[in-house]
Structures are given as C-alpha cells and as structure tokens.
Amino acid sequence: DSGVTQTPKHLITATGQRVTLRCSPRSGDLSVYWYQQSLDQGLQFLIQYYNGEERAKGNILERFSAQQFPDLHSELNLSSLELGDSALYFCASSVIAGTRGEAFFGQGTRLTVV
Amino acid sequence: AQSVTQPDIHITVSEGASLELRCNYSYGATPYLFWYVQSPGQGLQLLLKYFSGDTLVQGIKGFEAEFKRSQSSFNLRKPSVHWSDAAEYFCAVGALTNTDKLIFGTGTRLQVFP
C-alpha cells in the first residue's frame, strides 16, 4: 500500500459527460501528480500541484482540469468526455517538489467512456 | 527531447532463470532514472532509483540496475526470477526542467513460466 488513495476505482460514463476523480496523497506529501495510462499513449504526465498551486503541466487537454485543496487532496475533472478518454488515471504524491520524479502512486481510477 | 526506450515489449522466462530488462534513455545531462513495476490491477511501485554515485543500485524484491552513461542505458536485472515477478515493468527518467514529471518508457511485460 503506497498510502495514496484514489476514488473511485472504476467509473463508467457516457460520452459528453463530466466526471471527477479524487486523490488523497500520502500523509505529509505536498506534491500531487496526475498521469494517464492508455494503450495507445502509454503513461503520460498530465499535471502537477504543489501545496495548492499548479507547478507543471503536461499533455493535459483543455477539457480536463485539476486542483489541489487546502487539505492537499486533489481532484481531476474531465468534461465533454470522448471515447478516447477511456484510460487508467493515476495520482502520485511526493513529499516536496524538486524530487525529480520520485513519487508514490495510487492504484488508479479506470475510466470507461461508452 | 527527453525519451525512454524499452525495446522489449514482452519477455518470457522460466522461474529461477535470470532476468535483464533493457532501458535506454535520451537525455541532455545526468539523468534521474527509475524502474517501476505494475502488477495487474495495481498502481506503480518504485523498484529502485538512480540519482548519482554508485552506478549499480539495489532495489526492492531482489532487483538491481546498472547505469551506464556510455551506453545511455539503465538495465534492470534479477538473478533468479520468481513467479510473483510477473508484471509490467516501466523505466522512467525524471524531467530535466524545473518540473518533477516522469517520462516513461512503453513498458515490458514479463511472463514467468513455472
């Protein structure tokens, strides 16, 4: 158990809908990352937050957004969903920023868009 | 641009045999290198990391990896594979810039026969 909790584990929704994925980082970790794992794109970095502020952005679509709350949990919002958004979405956390990628991953949320 | 290549998509070994998973990276400076393992339905678990110093690093579960700058490689090894090692293995590099994102390879799926 990495200590990173993601909910829900599975999500099935229709095209055009909006969903919210939730992540609780390890206790004491200030940095949260979101990754998308799909068959065609592999593991792709989406976005990073550090202590409530956006720190880095990767291949995140405009239809997607995220935030980190004062209690350090994070949410990834996916809207106007398309079939191609079906993927496994991982959250990871680390103690501080500047760890050069060393992070602990949650078990992921599997999103299926039908 | 930074990139990670895992040339073997799928490897099959017998239990008790030795294992080497290949990883090559493209990077402009001394990289931060990682190996993660993903068991079916699970998140990513960090096996080991290389930041600097001794080029042979030891990880969890009996794994080790050797950083070879001249070959731009960071191959993962295990002297004797157990059936429970069957999983997908990802090599990753920490980003060069002021982000902490990981750039992942496409993964190698390891199958272990009894």
Side-chain angles (χ1 to χ4, degrees), chain A residues 35 37 48 55 98 101 107, chain B residues 34 36 38 42 98 100 102:
Chain A
Y35 288 84
Q37 184 179 33
Q48 178 196 2
R55 177 172 168 85
Q107 294 195 347
Chain B
F34 306 84
Y36 282 86
Q38 183 180 23
Q42 300 296 313
N98 63 347
D100 299 313
L102 284 164

